[in-house]
Amino acid sequence: MNNFLSIDDVTNLEALVASARNFKQNPYAKKQQGEGKTLGLLFMNPSLRTRLSTQRAAYNLGMNVMVINVNQDSWQLEFEDGSVMDGSSVEHVKDAAAVFSQYCDIIGIRTFAGLVDRLVDYQEKVLHAFVKYAQVPIVSLESATLHPLQSLADVITIEETKTRSKPKVVLSWAPHPKALPQAVANSFLQWVSETDCDLMIAHPEGYNLSSDFCSGAAICHNQEEAFIDADFIYAKNWSSYEQYGKVLCTDPAWTINQEKMSLTNNGQFMHCLPLRRNVVATDEVVDHSLVLVQAKNRLFAAQAVLDQLLSTL
Ligand code: CP
């Protein structure tokens, strides 16, 4: 593994999940693996779980960690090659990424979708600029279109809690007042489709995800029908892909409640958090869910990824 940007960087998913589960049993098994190494975490957007779990994962491996909130703590970055920088951008990513590489052995970066121009977001311009100009491995802490550390934690969670070998997994759209990226949903589909499961996507008309992520998944526009016999309900809002970034529906009929969960095969509710209670899902559903297990597994997912990257340095 040279970088961790998507599932395409993982050569053996089963082994990565096993490594994470081993760390869960013994978090300090490799406490000298990262000795003398520094992880730099660059946040262009807010974070609670990703920030804390990745820091803690690095500490468990003996690494040092430096965190910077780009745009708040440092200079506004320019991403266009060859641009005449006489506007608001003060430092080019070419210089910033190279400078970070002088201090850090691995760099993690969070850069959300702008949700204005689909082409720009799906080109992952910011993430790829760091990959191009940094001289050390890059870890995605959620990019414009993918959130691989979250998806690894989700796969671990499903593997350790499933009660049948081929569970039915439903990715269900749920309401949200604001436009959100497709990253978590895209990434979840990429990772879960690599496991043995029956995968279904439930969403209102107009919320199709990019077909690049949906192969092998059944699509259903009736949420109750989709929930029947499901083992896992993974809830997430995303804004429209086709009418890019638009909110087409906020219908509370899509809020996940106990009545809908009772249609499942004693199914478990999952969400990456943060979650707007009683909008995405009711209190009762969230309070009896796997959300904290997922959050805890973020730590071991990050630890397994950092461990693999450290072994290549
Ligand atoms: N799930 C997740 O990535 O949470 P944060 O945005 O708080 O990091």
Side-chain angles (χ1 to χ4, degrees):
M1 192 188 286
N2 299 319
N3 296 299
F4 183 76
L5 312 180
S6 79
I7 194 157
D8 295 338
D9 294 306
V10 178
T11 48
N12 186 337
L13 176 57
E14 229 172 277
L16 191 62
V17 170
S19 166
R21 292 182 72 177
N22 286 339
F23 281 125
K24 193 168 185 176
Q25 293 304 313
N26 190 355
Y28 307 109
K30 292 194 173 180
K31 63 177 189 285
Q32 266 125 29
Q33 171 81 329
E35 202 177 332
K37 303 288 186 216
T38 296
L39 174 68
L41 299 178
L42 280 60
F43 286 90
M44 296 186 160
N45 309 96
S47 169
L48 189 159
R49 281 143 291 273
T50 305
R51 181 181 295 245
L52 297 181
S53 62
T54 311
Q55 280 192 59
R56 176 68 192 271
Y59 293 144
N60 286 358
L61 293 166
M63 299 183 82
N64 299 309
V65 184
M66 298 192 294
V67 185
I68 194 160
N69 299 308
V70 181
N71 298 334
Q72 287 172 44
D73 300 342
S74 69
W75 307 110
Q76 186 170 328
L77 295 180
E78 174 63 44
F79 289 92
E80 290 303 320
D81 282 335
S83 63
V84 178
M85 289 173 54
D86 57 358
S88 52
S89 299
V90 178
E91 179 156 31
H92 201 281
V93 64
K94 184 174 187 172
D95 302 314
V99 169
F100 281 122
S101 307
Q102 310 307 307
Y103 312 134
C104 305
D105 301 282
I106 299 173
I107 297 172
I109 177 153
R110 165 163 284 202
T111 171
F112 283 173
L115 293 179
V116 175
D117 185 332
R118 186 171 83 189
L119 200 62
V120 170
D121 286 344
Y122 274 74
Q123 280 175 343
E124 295 283 11
K125 285 182 103 165
V126 174
L127 188 67
H128 288 143
F130 273 91
V131 171
K132 183 174 174 185
Y133 293 121
Q135 297 147 6
V136 299
I138 299 290
V139 175
S140 168
L141 305 174
E142 185 173 347
S143 67
T145 65
L146 296 172
H147 195 355
L149 281 175
Q150 180 65 53
S151 306
L152 175 55
D154 297 335
V155 165
I156 296 162
T157 305
I158 290 173
E159 283 305 306
E160 68 186 10
T161 55
K162 69 185 182 187
T163 54
R164 42 182 177 174
S165 57
K166 190 172 183 178
K168 179 177 173 182
V169 178
V170 177
L171 169 65
S172 179
W173 183 93
H176 197 283
K178 293 196 168 166
L180 297 186
Q182 293 110 26
V184 170
N186 289 343
S187 200
F188 181 74
L189 291 172
Q190 270 194 333
W191 286 70
V192 171
S193 62
E194 291 291 317
T195 69
D196 196 18
C197 70
D198 283 324
L199 186 53
M200 184 174 272
I201 310 169
H203 63 73
E205 300 275 359
Y207 277 93
N208 291 39
L209 291 161
S210 162
S211 56
D212 290 348
F213 301 98
C214 299
S215 61
I219 295 172
C220 182
H221 298 309
N222 181 321
Q223 199 183 34
E224 278 90 352
E225 196 180 308
F227 277 34
I228 293 169
D229 202 34
D231 297 283
F232 295 96
I233 302 296
Y234 194 99
K236 187 72 188 83
N237 173 272
W238 59 89
S239 58
S240 175
Y241 175 75
E242 307 220 327
Q243 295 184 56
Y244 192 64
K246 296 266 184 313
V247 175
L248 309 178
C249 171
T250 52
D251 187 354
W254 279 81
T255 299
I256 296 168
N257 58 27
Q258 202 50 47
E259 204 179 336
K260 291 177 191 171
M261 290 303 293
S262 67
L263 299 168
T264 66
N265 176 37
N266 206 15
Q268 305 253 38
F269 177 86
M270 298 177 72
H271 191 282
C272 62
L273 302 181
L275 176 152
R276 288 185 183 236
R277 282 172 175 257
N278 304 308
V279 176
V280 170
T282 59
D283 282 328
E284 193 182 6
V285 169
V286 181
D287 289 341
H288 298 91
S289 74
L290 291 175
V291 295
L292 288 182
V293 180
Q294 291 171 264
K296 183 157 190 174
N297 284 337
R298 289 294 309 270
L299 163 54
F300 306 111
Q303 199 167 338
V305 168
L306 291 175
D307 175 46
Q308 273 213 11
L309 289 172
L310 284 166
S311 69
T312 67
L313 298 181

